[in-house]
Amino acid sequence: MPVLKVEGLKTHFFTEEGVVKAVDGVSFSLDRGEVLGVVGESGSGKSVMALSILRLVADPPGRIVAGKMVLDTDVGRVDIATAPESKMQKIRGDRIAMIFQDPMTSLNPYLTVGKQLIEVLDLHRNLKRRDARQKVISMLEAVGIADPERRYSDHPHQLSGGMRQRVMIAMALLCDPEVLIADEPTTALDVTIQAQILELIRERKAETGSAVILITHDLGVVARLADRVAVMYGGRIVEEGPVARIFDDPRHPYTVGLARSIPRLDATEKRLIPIPGMPPSLAKLPKGCAFTARCPAVRPECKDTYPDIRDLGKGHRVACHEKDVEKVRRTPAAEVRT
């Protein structure tokens, strides 16, 4: 049994402009100790999917309208989609924890670092104040913060961006969660700090055995850390599989387009080929495949019906009507008419 199994998840936002189908039928499973990379352009539904797993989507206007999210923990099995809020308060930060994109807005500017981390232990662990303080300081040291006893008393604005992100990681790991969600954990950090943060997540995952959902638009990050990759477009997963197969043998036109648009040292063709056009509005998704207007291998049925997920073997799945992947790879993206 996977530690987390998501089936048919739909999270919609009900706005004056219409129903925004931010997540529109997502299914995947996450094994213990596994890193699942979730990639896609901005607006593909990645972050909303993560917030749905933690039941943090604001209602109104957002609401989980369908699906199951079964969490199998050491204290029992629960469907997050329908669990009462009292149950979710015990799960968040304990069994499932999240590293948010922007630590400056995620951390409370009025409270010290130590106070904010102590609150997590007060909620989920019955520790004496002295023991809780020592655990927080030990965790700050474990995530690479120098002089943790002094930083314990600092406020977030007194820390650098990299240190604030480390504090967020420390907060997420305090209770040894079974699932760790990292939503663009290196956004706005310089390259050196990015590498340190990613290595820290990898090390802590190896030590604690947590499963990780790594949300990013950076395929290089995925190649470095992930075991499997889920490619999202238009609120759905269009391709999923082991990281090596997704990079070496992509089968969805969108995945092929993503691979073409990033620089590679081993590439024979040095020119990058961008994906033409823009992603569709999630409030006005087409009847069929959402990638139709940008696809170099579009078929008549693509406009009318959304393709079923096809199993290609070895854990590789794709949602595409076109079975001749070579047709996709031979067609320059520049020829697509939008």
Side-chain angles (χ1 to χ4, degrees):
M1 178 70 183
V3 64
L4 178 65
K5 188 171 184 179
V6 177
E7 296 180 341
L9 175 64
K10 295 185 178 183
T11 302
H12 296 172
F13 290 83
F14 299 85
T15 70
E16 294 181 357
E17 290 74 25
V19 179
V20 178
K21 299 178 180 179
V23 178
D24 196 33
V26 165
S27 299
F28 68 90
S29 63
L30 183 69
D31 292 335
R32 286 174 170 79
E34 179 182 43
V35 179
L36 174 66
V38 181
V39 301
E41 293 170 282
S42 296
S44 60
K46 305 185 302 296
S47 293
V48 175
M49 181 191 72
L51 293 173
S52 299
I53 293 173
L54 283 169
R55 287 264 301 277
L56 289 176
V57 175
D59 182 6
R63 189 164 74 246
I64 296 173
V65 299
K68 294 182 179 180
M69 294 181 286
V70 179
L71 179 68
D72 188 25
T73 74
D74 55 2
V75 294
R77 188 178 301 174
V78 59
D79 183 359
I80 297 171
T82 57
E85 179 59 24
S86 58
K87 183 73 172 180
M88 288 305 304
Q89 289 179 1
K90 296 179 180 179
I91 290 174
R92 294 188 202 105
D94 186 15
R95 301 300 87 200
I96 305 178
M98 186 166 178
I99 304 169
F100 293 91
Q101 282 189 38
D102 185 0
M104 196 59 194
T105 57
S106 301
L107 294 171
N108 190 324
Y110 297 104
L111 300 180
T112 65
V113 166
K115 174 65 175 176
Q116 295 184 63
L117 270 67
I118 286 287
E119 285 184 342
V120 176
L121 294 176
D122 285 344
L123 182 62
H124 299 295
R125 298 290 184 269
N126 186 24
L127 296 179
K128 295 180 179 179
R129 181 62 51 170
R130 183 176 61 182
D131 294 337
R133 183 179 188 278
Q134 186 55 50
K135 183 174 178 63
V136 166
I137 290 174
S138 297
M139 182 58 71
L140 291 175
E141 183 177 19
V143 299
I145 293 181
D147 197 2
E149 292 194 3
R150 181 167 69 89
R151 295 304 183 186
Y152 178 94
S153 301
D154 282 348
H155 288 79
H157 72 271
Q158 295 175 278
L159 308 179
S160 67
M163 291 180 70
R164 287 194 293 267
Q165 193 63 285
R166 290 172 188 269
V167 169
M168 288 295 299
I169 295 173
M171 183 180 295
L173 294 174
L174 265 178
C175 295
D176 297 324
E178 287 162 288
V179 177
L180 176 65
I181 302 173
D183 186 7
E184 301 279 7
T186 59
T187 297
L189 300 178
D190 64 54
V191 176
T192 302
I193 301 300
Q194 284 184 25
Q196 293 175 358
I197 294 298
L198 294 174
E199 182 63 18
L200 174 59
I201 293 174
R202 187 194 66 78
E203 289 176 354
R204 298 302 300 177
K205 190 272 297 187
E207 291 176 10
T208 64
S210 296
V212 179
I213 298 176
L214 177 64
I215 298 172
T216 181
H217 62 272
D218 189 333
L219 293 181
V221 170
V222 169
R224 178 176 176 180
L225 286 183
D227 301 305
R228 285 192 302 123
V229 184
V231 182
M232 287 193 70
Y233 188 84
R236 303 192 186 201
I237 292 177
V238 298
E239 187 166 7
E240 179 188 355
V243 64
R245 286 180 65 92
I246 295 296
F247 276 84
D248 297 338
D249 188 25
R251 296 300 185 92
H252 195 280
Y254 179 60
T255 313
V256 173
L258 288 178
R260 282 173 167 171
S261 64
I262 60 172
R264 291 182 57 159
L265 294 177
D266 60 347
T268 55
E269 173 59 59
K270 300 301 181 183
R271 183 172 62 93
L272 298 180
I273 304 175
I275 301 174
M278 295 293 290
S281 167
L282 295 178
K284 299 178 181 178
L285 288 171
K287 181 179 178 182
C289 177
F291 193 58
T292 299
R294 308 172 74 189
C295 183
V298 64
R299 298 162 59 112
E301 57 265 41
C302 298
K303 298 180 181 180
D304 298 322
T305 59
Y306 193 88
D308 294 329
I309 291 273
R310 287 188 288 118
D311 190 347
L312 304 176
K314 298 183 179 179
H316 194 175
R317 305 185 306 151
V318 65
C320 185
H321 287 299
E322 179 56 68
K323 297 181 181 180
D324 182 5
V325 69
E326 291 306 318
K327 178 180 178 181
V328 176
R329 294 172 182 170
R330 288 194 303 265
T331 306
E335 294 182 9
V336 179
R337 294 181 179 179
T338 59

